[in-house]
Amino acid sequence: MNILLNIAYHTNFGEELVLNVMNDKTKATTPFRMKTVDGKMWTCSLELDLQMGTHIDYYYSVVRGANNMVNCEWMVEPHRLEINAIKGKNFVVYDRWINMPEDSYLYSSAFTDCIKRRKISLAPLSDHIATVRLKVRAPQLRGNECLMLVGKGHKLGDWDVKRGVTMYEHNYNEWVADLDASLLVDNRLEFKFVAVNVADKDQVIWEDHDNRWVSLPDMSENGVVVYELETALFPIHNIRCAGTLVPLFSLRSKDSFGVGDFGDLKKMIDWVASTGQRVLQVLPINDTTITHTWTDSYPYSCISIFALHPQYVNLNALPPLADAEKRIYFEELREDLNSLPQIDYERVNEAKTKYLHALYVQEGKQMMETAEFKKFFAEEQPWLVPYAQYCLFREKYGTADFSQWPDHQSFNEADRRALTGTGNPAYKNVAFYYFMQYVLSRQMQEAHDYARSKSVVLKGDIPIGVNRHGCDVWQEPRYFNLNGQAGAPPDDFSVNGQNWGFPTYNWDEMLKDDCQWWVRRFSNMSKYFDAYRIDHVLGFFRIWEIPVDAVHGLLGQFSPALGLTREEIEAYGLHFQEELFTQPFITDWVLERLFGDKAERVKYTYLEPGKDGRYRMRPQFDTQRKVEAAFANKTSQEDRNLRDGLYALISNVLFVRDHKDANKFHPRISVQFDLIYESLYDSDKYIFNKIYNDYFYRRNNHFWYREAMNKLPKLVEATRMLVCAEDLGMVPDCVPWVMEELKILSLELQSMPKDPNVRFGVLGNNPYRSVCTISSHDTPTLRQWWDEDIQRTQEYFNTSLQKFGAAPHPLPGWLARDIIARHLACPSMLCILSIQDWLAIDEYLRFADPKGERVNIPANPRHYWRYRMHLNIEDLVACHEYNQNITDLIKEAGRL
């Protein structure tokens, strides 16, 4: 079978086009260099042995020299050529270069497999003597519509839609029709595409385009000519959807085990679908087990980017325990834990783990001999085997800190063979963890399939970091920097910044293999979700890296970043006194201001004399971690105040030294609020502020843009999930550039506007490619926010809501409904509200105490994540009047 491919592409001198044919099974590509005579039209001739009824997928790239790729097509939806012409022996294909389209979101699985669920099918076999094949993409078509080809001439229906040519969706949003060239009277086709309602053929929409023309070449027998045409556009409005955000652990049903589980997830999907919503968003669901205590409740500190958390197992979906006494014990325990107003993390996880161990003894051997388990094990072995051994050692040595283990301080690939051999003792030692993850994965995939069947998009969450003592770091330590801690600079959540404790990423190492660690992570997530939120997307531009000996985030610096040399600082006009500006500025007046009558005690206990009447910290207290250790067992308020004062002393510097280059420096974040800044002359303050603003808001913009574009495109194209990002905080100008270029949905909160000129965001200005919400897991709920700052609420009430008089407190249900209606009416593609905010509209259903609905307090790194819905999902589903109220809101906003 001969295939001649043609594509128009204007190359520069020294560039060549390459055709990359994809292997459908291995996803590997075979490159073919193309030929040209003018640098504008490129061709490639292939002779392939292909079976009838199959297809090949391929894409084009541009290279310079041997292997330097300078451009590549959008790979989420490659070209597809079907081999379905029985008599076709010679194919001539005319392709178009495919860039990422503006409506790339319509190609995501969120739309193709959930919201606009249609069946993909290859075109039927044809026995035409010669075939003309027309291909076109029509991403706007809704789930109940198909595409027809209608045009001039009898074979094209003489412009009668009912007699037109049926097209087949052989790839997502791409439609194809085969015409018998021998029956075409004219060698010039004139036609249009029409969207037709499958249930009512009289409902048609003609494409918004002039008549199309295709001039046909002289066709020989057994020939097939394929034309890839410009995208068909229709006067169809953008799809806008509503959804709910709720942590999976927060779900409550009548038969759950004290925490939300994968069975509850299905019930919540039913409620979402029944009210006309189309998205259900959850927080991360990965395993976070480090200490087996409540501190493991932090869902953004996973030990494995692949393993699911055992607490989410739905025990009701598993075979019952054969031991009647154990069944009674666990049922009584379940009822007790499920009656609690909040999650008892330690008891829940201990109980579920015991249950799984008992079930493993009873059913494990049989389940692990099934073909389904063997398939799972073969596919997941790369991460599953290290994870199981890590869990074994964590339990054996009583700590997850592998640096304290007597051996195996990193995963040894040589162990893999023993750990995968079913007859080997090493396999038997870890088999329980294989069994557990198999059960969890199967249940989550079932929930995912169920969501799709209900046209509901499951949206997951990808944390920016991983636990420094987790399996990922243990298995592949080269990808991580353990001498730093990831966090966030000071913001509305925390004046001292946030220190998450995660190791930062070694991007130099990750980029060597095209970010395969991240690609594997995203690919694994696509098994369970059709959309995802990138937590702290700013971390892909630069992360706030805090020294490992610091507690607060104030001593951090953006990494990577272009640090300042001494000469650059001096060029601004500031005399750079390195020791004065980079060491803690401690004088008698500073001590008096920070400690008052405790100043003398501090001076003689924690300090020693320095130069020029200044002091320095004693060596045993010269880092925040040393101070933290010194006060570890002191719990009085006076001791806490003293400790925090010492932290402030240590961070009282004007510049921090670059972590990689000791001859470069970074202005210390928010130093304008500290005493060293106060000590400067006004002229030096002016110069420093200029340095500060240039550094944080201008100097690094293009550098950070390039950093993000080296990483994010690979991740965005790794799956077909809909990509959303949390882009709040200290956002450099380059972030919206990248978000726009990669078509990533932004996050819009009216209470945290991105426009510095307004107090509250203007909902009507939200971009379409965005997610609108009122609150998140890190912020107060709507009801909490309403009562948090009376003056702010009053301004919002009078300006944004345009209402007169005093704002009512607490927030009444009718006003909560009004606020939600305004958010639903905004242009954002997705309006996803927390379950707490949805319930705020009903004063009888909502929880009595708004403070009890808070999920997380970011300023507290040791927050206990234990919020749980006060309502059973079954009771929520039965609230017909309330549910109709939600449906009405969604319908009125045009999101139904």
Side-chain angles (χ1 to χ4, degrees):
M1 184 176 295
N2 298 313
I3 303 174
L4 177 63
L5 295 113
N6 304 266
I7 186 168
Y9 187 95
H10 195 160
T11 53
N12 295 315
F13 180 77
E15 295 177 346
E16 293 181 83
L17 248 65
V18 176
L19 168 71
N20 304 278
V21 179
M22 306 169 72
N23 186 304
D24 196 41
K25 293 182 179 179
T26 65
K27 303 304 179 186
T29 60
T30 303
F32 297 91
R33 295 272 174 156
M34 303 186 72
K35 297 179 180 179
T36 185
V37 294
D38 59 4
K40 298 178 181 178
M41 180 60 71
W42 292 79
T43 64
C44 184
S45 182
L46 303 177
E47 190 167 332
L48 301 176
D49 184 17
L50 299 172
Q51 294 183 347
M52 196 59 55
T54 61
H55 69 273
I56 59 170
D57 290 341
Y58 57 95
Y59 64 93
Y60 298 99
S61 59
V62 182
V63 298
R64 180 183 292 276
N67 204 21
N68 180 24
M69 188 170 69
V70 295
N71 198 8
C72 184
E73 284 191 296
W74 186 50
M75 291 173 56
V76 170
E77 189 85 350
H79 302 270
R80 173 163 291 181
L81 177 63
E82 288 182 65
I83 312 302
N84 65 332
I86 296 174
K87 298 178 181 178
K89 294 182 179 179
N90 300 301
F91 285 73
V92 179
V93 181
Y94 295 97
D95 281 327
R96 303 172 64 88
W97 182 272
I98 301 174
N99 287 315
M100 178 184 283
E102 286 294 316
D103 55 6
S104 60
Y105 54 87
L106 292 175
Y107 293 84
S108 69
S109 61
F111 281 84
T112 62
D113 297 358
C114 302
I115 296 171
K116 304 194 303 177
R117 190 175 172 90
R118 289 191 301 262
K119 186 177 180 181
I120 301 298
S121 61
L122 296 179
L125 301 180
S126 65
D127 60 355
H128 304 327
I129 296 173
T131 301
V132 175
R133 178 174 301 159
L134 301 179
K135 287 197 307 179
V136 68
R137 298 188 174 194
Q140 291 174 289
L141 264 60
R142 292 161 291 200
N144 62 343
E145 292 171 330
C146 66
L147 198 66
M148 298 286 290
L149 171 66
V150 184
K152 180 181 178 181
H154 176 68
K155 287 300 176 181
L156 299 185
D158 282 325
W159 301 107
D160 183 350
V161 175
K162 293 182 178 178
R163 294 165 49 208
V165 178
T166 299
M167 302 192 74
Y168 297 89
E169 190 176 14
H170 74 152
N171 204 359
Y172 296 111
N173 293 325
E174 186 170 79
W175 299 76
V176 62
D178 285 350
L179 306 175
D180 190 340
S182 66
L183 300 179
L184 297 174
V185 178
D186 197 347
N187 66 350
R188 180 175 171 177
L189 301 179
E190 183 181 356
F191 57 92
K192 271 193 158 185
F193 296 108
V194 184
V196 180
N197 188 299
V198 175
D200 183 357
K201 303 289 186 181
D202 290 328
Q203 292 188 30
V204 301
I205 304 175
W206 291 78
E207 69 170 314
D208 195 7
H209 195 286
D210 293 335
N211 290 356
R212 295 175 183 255
W213 301 82
V214 171
S215 296
L216 303 178
D218 293 332
M219 300 287 295
S220 59
E221 288 189 11
N222 304 325
V224 179
V225 61
V226 181
Y227 292 97
E228 190 172 72
L229 304 174
E230 185 181 348
T231 299
L233 300 176
F234 295 89
I236 296 175
H237 60 77
N238 288 327
I239 293 175
R240 293 159 57 247
C241 300
T244 293
L245 163 65
V246 59
L248 180 52
F249 57 75
S250 298
L251 297 178
R252 181 191 296 271
S253 71
K254 292 181 178 179
D255 57 2
S256 51
F257 210 114
V259 68
D261 59 39
F262 293 137
D264 297 334
L265 187 57
K266 287 185 177 181
K267 295 174 183 177
M268 197 64 182
I269 289 166
D270 284 334
W271 177 76
V272 166
S274 70
T275 54
Q277 300 178 68
R278 284 291 168 261
V279 185
L280 178 57
Q281 179 178 340
V282 297
L283 301 191
I285 58 174
N286 296 100
D287 192 357
T288 58
T289 307
I290 289 286
T291 64
H292 296 291
T293 66
W294 66 265
T295 58
D296 296 345
S297 66
Y298 182 24
Y300 288 87
S301 182
C302 66
I303 63 167
S304 170
I305 58 174
F306 302 104
L308 300 177
H309 202 302
Q311 72 176 351
Y312 297 126
V313 65
N314 176 17
L315 299 180
N316 299 305
L318 298 174
L321 295 177
D323 188 321
E325 187 175 331
K326 286 184 178 179
R327 285 203 309 274
I328 294 172
Y329 165 76
F330 279 111
E331 176 57 23
E332 291 176 349
L333 182 57
R334 184 198 69 78
E335 291 178 356
D336 178 33
L337 292 171
N338 215 33
S339 66
L340 299 176
Q342 294 178 305
I343 300 166
D344 188 329
Y345 182 90
E346 294 171 14
R347 290 179 64 203
V348 163
N349 280 272
E350 181 184 12
K352 285 201 166 185
T353 301
K354 283 183 178 178
Y355 191 104
L356 285 172
H357 271 289
L359 190 69
Y360 170 69
V361 172
Q362 177 183 302
E363 306 282 343
K365 186 175 185 298
Q366 181 180 349
M367 290 178 68
M368 295 171 75
E369 289 176 349
T370 63
E372 187 180 6
F373 173 82
K374 292 177 180 178
K375 180 175 182 290
F376 165 81
F377 189 68
E379 292 175 351
E380 311 302 331
Q381 194 184 112
W383 68 265
L384 182 60
V385 171
Y387 166 80
Q389 190 182 46
Y390 165 87
C391 292
L392 176 72
F393 290 148
R394 179 193 62 203
E395 304 309 305
K396 179 179 179 180
Y397 299 125
T399 177
D401 184 353
F402 44 81
S403 67
Q404 297 183 28
W405 296 350
D407 50 35
H408 285 88
Q409 294 186 353
S410 64
F411 178 66
N412 186 351
E413 275 294 336
D415 293 344
R416 189 179 290 274
R417 185 172 182 180
L419 293 165
T420 55
T422 53
N424 196 297
Y427 176 91
K428 295 177 182 178
N429 288 338
V430 298
F432 166 72
Y433 299 105
Y434 299 156
F435 165 81
M436 178 179 70
Q437 286 300 319
Y438 165 66
V439 169
L440 290 164
S441 179
R442 185 176 62 178
Q443 289 189 355
M444 183 58 203
Q445 287 192 55
E446 287 174 357
H448 181 210
D449 292 340
Y450 186 72
R452 284 183 167 184
S453 73
K454 295 287 187 177
S455 297
V456 170
V457 179
L458 273 187
K459 182 183 176 187
D461 197 329
I462 294 187
I464 187 61
V466 298
N467 193 291
R468 67 174 49 245
H469 300 311
C471 178
D472 298 312
V473 181
W474 180 68
Q475 181 184 358
E476 298 178 288
R478 68 185 184 278
Y479 288 142
F480 304 92
N481 296 318
L482 294 176
N483 58 350
Q485 307 171 91
D491 55 21
D492 292 342
F493 298 132
S494 176
V495 294
N496 290 320
Q498 298 178 51
N499 185 349
W500 304 323
F502 307 140
T504 56
Y505 295 113
N506 182 352
W507 284 109
D508 293 337
E509 193 67 30
M510 286 184 162
L511 287 168
K512 288 180 182 178
D513 61 9
D514 284 334
C515 298
Q516 285 304 302
W517 185 86
W518 284 96
V519 171
R520 295 195 305 269
R521 182 180 191 179
F522 280 57
S523 299
N524 182 74
M525 194 171 187
S526 67
K527 299 173 184 175
Y528 309 126
F529 299 100
D530 288 300
Y532 63 91
R533 166 190 177 270
I534 303 177
D535 172 47
H536 194 67
V537 73
L538 305 183
F540 290 92
F541 296 76
R542 77 292 185 273
I543 196 70
W544 189 247
E545 188 173 53
I546 304 163
V548 73
D549 58 13
V551 173
H552 290 161
L554 292 176
L555 290 172
Q557 61 188 245
F558 285 125
S559 178
L562 302 173
L564 294 156
T565 64
R566 297 175 181 83
E567 293 75 18
E568 286 178 303
I569 295 172
E570 297 260 356
Y572 279 92
L574 180 67
H575 176 50
F576 186 69
Q577 304 171 69
E578 185 173 328
E579 184 177 350
L580 178 63
F581 288 168
T582 62
Q583 297 297 319
F585 178 72
I586 308 174
T587 64
D588 286 315
W589 72 266
V590 169
L591 295 173
E592 182 69 27
R593 289 276 292 276
L594 281 176
F595 299 100
D597 59 4
K598 305 288 191 305
E600 289 300 311
R601 173 189 167 190
V602 169
K603 186 187 304 183
Y604 291 109
T605 307
Y606 303 101
L607 306 177
E608 60 186 23
K611 295 180 181 179
D612 301 325
R614 298 193 300 272
Y615 302 92
R616 58 175 175 262
M617 304 297 296
R618 292 183 183 275
Q620 61 268 42
F621 304 110
D622 61 0
T623 71
Q624 291 182 342
R625 288 295 178 197
K626 290 179 181 179
V627 171
E628 181 184 47
F631 283 80
N633 298 318
K634 300 176 181 180
T635 58
S636 71
Q637 186 61 50
E638 181 180 339
D639 284 327
R640 283 198 294 269
N641 291 341
L642 182 58
R643 178 202 62 191
D644 292 346
L646 294 173
Y647 287 163
L649 271 186
I650 293 169
S651 63
N652 190 32
V653 298
L654 201 64
F655 289 89
V656 294
R657 197 179 298 273
D658 188 88
H659 295 164
K660 293 183 178 180
D661 187 343
N663 293 314
K664 292 184 178 178
F665 306 88
H666 306 257
R668 209 221 73 190
I669 193 79
S670 297
V671 72
Q672 291 88 343
F673 299 103
D674 270 355
L675 298 174
I676 188 171
Y677 177 82
E678 185 179 326
S679 72
L680 298 176
Y681 292 116
D682 287 347
S683 58
D684 286 343
K685 289 179 182 177
Y686 174 83
I687 296 171
F688 177 81
N689 288 339
K690 189 175 181 181
I691 296 172
Y692 186 95
N693 291 329
D694 281 350
Y695 172 82
F696 282 113
Y697 299 106
R698 286 181 283 274
R699 178 182 177 88
N700 290 283
N701 260 323
H702 290 280
F703 174 69
W704 286 336
Y705 168 82
R706 292 191 297 272
E707 284 293 318
M709 291 303 293
N710 281 335
K711 307 161 190 171
L712 282 174
K714 299 175 179 65
L715 313 186
V716 169
E717 294 192 0
T719 74
R720 292 180 51 252
M721 291 187 289
L722 180 66
V723 188
C724 311
E726 181 266 291
D727 56 337
L728 304 176
M730 194 174 179
V731 183
D733 290 345
C734 59
V735 172
W737 305 345
V738 173
M739 301 271 283
E740 172 64 25
E741 192 166 338
L742 300 181
K743 313 298 184 282
I744 299 174
L745 274 64
S746 62
L747 180 62
E748 307 295 331
L749 273 79
Q750 192 177 24
S751 60
M752 298 175 66
K754 292 170 181 172
D755 181 353
N757 299 311
V758 298
R759 178 81 183 272
F760 306 106
V762 179
L763 294 173
N765 291 341
N766 285 5
Y768 173 66
R769 277 199 304 265
S770 69
V771 180
C772 172
T773 192
I774 296 175
S775 66
S776 74
H777 62 277
D778 276 339
T779 68
T781 63
L782 173 59
R783 292 166 64 204
Q784 286 178 289
W785 182 87
W786 190 263
D787 291 333
E788 198 175 56
D789 185 329
I790 301 300
Q791 184 177 353
R792 179 188 62 191
T793 299
Q794 187 64 51
E795 183 179 347
Y796 177 74
F797 184 75
N798 297 141
T799 57
S800 294
L801 300 184
Q802 296 182 323
K803 297 184 182 297
F804 300 104
H809 291 275
L811 179 68
W814 65 266
L815 189 50
R817 188 186 193 280
D818 181 39
I819 294 170
I820 287 176
R822 292 167 187 261
H823 281 76
L824 288 170
C826 79
S828 298
M829 179 194 301
L830 305 179
C831 182
I832 302 177
L833 307 180
S834 69
I835 187 62
Q836 302 97 309
D837 289 345
W838 277 120
L839 289 170
I841 70 176
D842 192 308
E843 297 180 24
Y844 298 98
L845 277 182
R846 67 191 193 186
F847 192 55
D849 181 11
K851 295 179 181 178
E853 295 182 321
R854 187 72 185 259
V855 176
N856 179 43
I857 301 174
N860 178 11
R862 291 177 59 81
H863 181 75
Y864 192 171
W865 296 63
R866 61 188 314 199
Y867 164 70
R868 202 160 181 226
M869 290 171 57
H870 66 288
L871 285 172
N872 291 319
I873 301 173
E874 296 89 341
D875 294 335
L876 181 63
V877 171
C879 296
H880 302 298
E881 184 178 347
Y882 167 74
N883 293 331
Q884 186 60 50
N885 195 0
I886 290 181
T887 303
D888 291 343
L889 278 166
I890 295 170
K891 186 175 182 180
E892 291 164 6
R895 293 184 180 270
L896 192 60

